[in-house]
Amino acid sequence: MDSGTAIIRCDWANRSPLEQHYHDHEWGVPVYDDRKLFKQLILEGKQAGLSWATILSKMDTLCEAFDNFDPEVIIHYDDKKVEELLSNDGIIKNRLKVNAVIHNAHIYFKIVEQYGSLNEFIWRYVDHKPIINHWTTIKEVPASTPLSDQISKDLKKIGFKFVGTTTIYAFMQSIGMVNDHLVSCACYQRA
């Protein structure tokens, strides 16, 4: 999208240039790459109790600190690495969330072993096709759905942490599994 042209966006995406860019180029765009899916799942879990704007403002530092959320690297993090992360002012310094990243990297490999890929595991819930909603106001957009309830339950059963239903619905929106752009939004037709 041309950022020099005034466009109609979803209401939440007009507060900052970071949010505008994320909305226009990433949010709701279908993601099928396992590493990107894992990264987004982790970032949505880190958002719990915070705003997405906080995550966006720390994105570069988070990616650098967590080796771009590569599960093959993260599974080798030790106590020294955890302490290094917790001393980094550029990330969300929550010990539970830092430890959950490491734990979830291990669980990621259980998913891959059982389902072939995180992509296959996640996208099978929607028959590998995005759900296209038709919201006209931001108030209509749910925080969770029965589907996000089910995915959350299944991820928890496998062992993932920080995957509550609201987190999972935000994940579904961010990876384009569900198109929750308002019908008036310039990005709505992209799906």
Side-chain angles (χ1 to χ4, degrees):
M1 265 184 205
D2 180 5
S3 59
T5 305
I7 63 167
I8 298 173
R9 292 183 177 90
C10 297
D11 299 347
W12 64 266
N14 289 307
R15 294 179 289 226
S16 75
L18 277 175
E19 286 176 313
Q20 289 174 357
H21 184 271
Y22 174 70
H23 170 273
D24 294 354
H25 300 283
E26 296 178 50
W27 193 72
V29 175
V31 175
Y32 302 101
D33 177 81
D34 260 31
R35 293 256 316 262
K36 290 178 182 176
L37 290 168
F38 178 75
K39 175 183 173 182
Q40 196 63 31
L41 184 61
I42 295 302
L43 290 171
E44 294 294 351
K46 286 196 159 299
Q47 180 194 353
L50 304 170
S51 71
W52 188 247
T54 299
I55 300 299
L56 289 174
S57 71
K58 295 179 178 285
M59 185 69 73
D60 291 342
T61 307
L62 284 164
C63 289
E64 183 179 330
F66 286 95
D67 295 287
N68 205 31
F69 298 97
D70 182 345
E72 291 184 19
V73 175
I74 293 171
I75 60 169
H76 299 291
Y77 285 7
D78 56 15
D79 291 343
K80 182 180 176 190
K81 178 66 175 183
V82 170
E83 294 309 315
E84 175 189 314
L85 288 165
L86 291 172
S87 68
N88 185 336
D89 291 331
I91 71 164
I92 293 120
K93 298 193 312 183
N94 176 310
R95 186 174 295 276
L96 290 175
K97 289 182 180 182
V98 168
N99 286 330
V101 172
I102 301 163
H103 174 83
N104 287 348
H106 287 274
I107 302 302
Y108 163 83
F109 288 102
K110 286 175 72 173
I111 292 263
V112 170
E113 183 179 318
Q114 189 171 353
Y115 294 92
S117 66
L118 181 57
N119 171 50
E120 180 59 33
F121 175 82
I122 289 295
W123 281 93
R124 70 190 171 92
Y125 286 96
V126 292
D127 199 24
H128 304 277
K129 294 177 283 202
I131 296 167
I132 310 299
N133 288 317
H134 309 284
W135 312 123
T136 57
T137 69
I138 200 78
K139 291 177 184 173
E140 294 175 277
V141 181
S144 64
T145 64
L147 181 56
S148 68
D149 294 346
Q150 185 60 55
I151 296 170
S152 171
K153 180 180 170 187
D154 293 349
L155 286 169
K156 287 176 183 177
K157 185 186 279 187
I158 293 167
F160 275 96
K161 295 182 178 183
F162 286 95
V163 290
T165 187
T166 302
T167 296
I168 293 306
Y169 194 71
F171 172 68
M172 292 167 65
Q173 292 171 313
S174 68
I175 66 163
M177 196 172 172
V178 58
N179 177 7
D180 274 351
H181 285 285
L182 301 181
V183 295
S184 59
C185 175
C187 294
Y188 178 75
Q189 296 301 325
R190 179 175 60 203

